[in-house]
Amino acid sequence: MFTLKAEQLIPRKSSRRTRVAARFSRFRQAGAIFTAIAALAWCAAPLRAQAPLDYYPADQWRTSSPDEQALDRKKLKKLVKRIRRNDISGIDSLLIVRNGYLVIESYFNGWGPDDLHTLQSDTKSITSLLVGIARQQGFISNVDQKVLGFFPEYRRIKNVDDRKAAMSLRDLLTMRTGLNWSEDPYEGSPLWQLNNCGCDWLKFTLDWRMREQPGTRFEYNSGGVILLGGVIRNASGMPTDIFAQRFLFDPLGITQARWYYGKPDNLPHMGGGLNLRPLDMAKIGYLVLRRGRWGNQQVVSEDWLAESLQHSVTSARTFAGRPVDYGYLWWLLHLDGEGIEGTDADVYTASGAQGQWIFIIPKYDMVVVSTGSTPSFDKAVGFLYSDILRAVN
């Protein structure tokens, strides 16, 4: 995780002729009632099964009670009370969206709905969306393009060998760069050095020494995601933050985004330097839930999301003791918490240090957002399973 310090007919007796007419009338009325009941059942179905695919929030989310969206209100109310009493400490916000309705929106520790919150490494998952958009726009041909080819401005890159020359965008997206890079512990790590060097972040990462062949081993690497920001900039010919605003945030109506910048040329820190409102984090999750579509616009291609949410790396890590896989800068949890395989077993997850989370649960048509300021960053994973998922009726 990146660390930056600086939700009835009653019949009557009558004659035979009257009874026949009445029977025919009752038949028609019964049919009408059956049709009405069926229609009511169909209308109620979206509360449990069918998503309102034509709804996209604008300035405000539509709201509903948890019970109306088939969630146990009492269980969720108890969870919110535990957070507010500080029984679960360090949580700054909790939002739950189901069926396109915001059913829980709670803020804690002095935070409010209009406050921009650090996303930390949730920024990486948003970077994945931006890479997909760049490919969709034709700026990037495919993820097997070599990284060094995007940076002709650096004529003298250190530690270049066949392994570094072979490093691809796919390797950056799946954290299998082959670089000799470790971020744990943070103090003194390559990421710590990058964040404190006051130097060219792109050159710093490109110069780093190799350890092994790219694509062979998972090693969490924020520097590689910063390189992806440079790839987007160089390929599109526009600053990466402007690219993000124009092609991702503007279509979603996200008007407040704050970045942490560095060299060269105010490059945004794609490894963890984005700040958004939790309500806008929920929009990012909802975009993924709706397979990249927002209103009449396909903001991110459905093909890209299908590709980037595959299990490229299995058992990459554990969150709150639960196994988690990795896609293209997205973590993949499992609904059972143990590793069932299958498309509807996935919880697509953006994860950031200090407790920043976006959970996307297609099977339940849900998005859960939690922000925090806690060294125990995965508390939200615990209550996702112990409280939120158990509240689904």
Side-chain angles (χ1 to χ4, degrees), residues 15-28:
S15 65
R16 180 178 180 277
R17 183 174 180 179
T18 303
R19 288 197 303 271
V20 170
R23 189 180 300 123
F24 180 71
S25 176
R26 288 197 299 270
F27 177 79
R28 287 192 303 176

Side-chain angles (χ1 to χ4, degrees), residues 359-378:
F359 302 106
I360 302 147
I361 312 163
K363 184 173 183 180
Y364 296 149
D365 200 358
M366 288 179 66
V367 174
V368 177
V369 168
S370 181
T371 60
S373 306
T374 170
S376 302
F377 82 101
D378 56 359

Side-chain angles (χ1 to χ4, degrees), residues 165-371:
M167 187 168 56
S168 68
L169 300 184
R170 187 191 304 275
D171 298 323
L172 301 185
L173 288 162
T174 58
M175 300 284 188
R176 296 181 293 187
T177 64
L179 292 168
N180 187 20
W181 185 291
S182 175
E183 298 182 7
D184 188 17
Y186 171 68
E187 297 292 336
S189 70
L191 178 60
W192 181 89
Q193 295 178 49
L194 181 151
N195 287 336
N196 291 280
C197 70
C199 62
D200 182 329
W201 291 341
L202 299 175
K203 184 71 162 58
F204 179 95
T205 307
L206 290 168
D207 281 346
W208 202 261
R209 60 192 177 276
M210 299 295 293
R211 179 177 54 206
E212 58 206 350
Q213 189 68 24
T216 57
R217 191 174 70 88
F218 179 87
E219 181 70 69
Y220 200 75
N221 189 326
S222 299
V225 187
I226 291 173
L227 286 181
L228 287 172
V231 167
I232 293 169
R233 184 194 70 169
N234 285 2
S236 68
M238 69 180 71
T240 312
D241 55 336
I242 301 300
F243 182 95
Q245 188 65 50
R246 180 178 301 178
F247 294 113
L248 178 59
F249 297 152
D250 281 349
L252 274 58
I254 297 174
T255 59
Q256 301 179 63
R258 188 175 68 238
W259 292 91
Y260 179 77
Y261 295 97
K263 297 178 182 178
D265 305 320
N266 286 323
L267 182 76
H269 198 308
M270 309 306 291
L274 179 60
N275 296 264
L276 291 175
R277 299 184 311 153
L279 285 164
D280 291 330
M281 294 169 67
K283 283 187 174 183
I284 297 292
Y286 196 69
L287 174 72
V288 176
L289 183 67
R290 292 291 171 256
R291 300 180 179 180
R293 191 168 187 81
W294 201 267
N296 295 323
Q297 184 177 353
Q298 193 70 41
V299 177
V300 183
S301 77
E302 190 170 347
D303 289 344
W304 175 258
L305 285 176
E307 179 180 343
S308 60
L309 296 170
Q310 290 180 6
H311 298 246
S312 297
V313 179
T314 58
S315 301
R317 190 169 286 183
T318 60
F319 290 156
R322 301 175 187 276
V324 58
D325 300 339
Y326 206 66
Y328 289 176
L329 306 180
W330 287 93
W331 298 96
L332 305 171
L333 283 159
H334 304 272
L335 275 178
D336 71 338
E338 298 187 8
I340 300 176
E341 293 184 359
T343 55
D344 64 356
D346 289 323
V347 180
Y348 308 138
T349 305
S351 167
Q354 302 171 18
Q356 325 314 321
W357 296 91
I358 304 173
F359 302 106
I360 302 147
I361 312 163
K363 184 173 183 180
Y364 296 149
D365 200 358
M366 288 179 66
V367 174
V368 177
V369 168
S370 181
T371 60

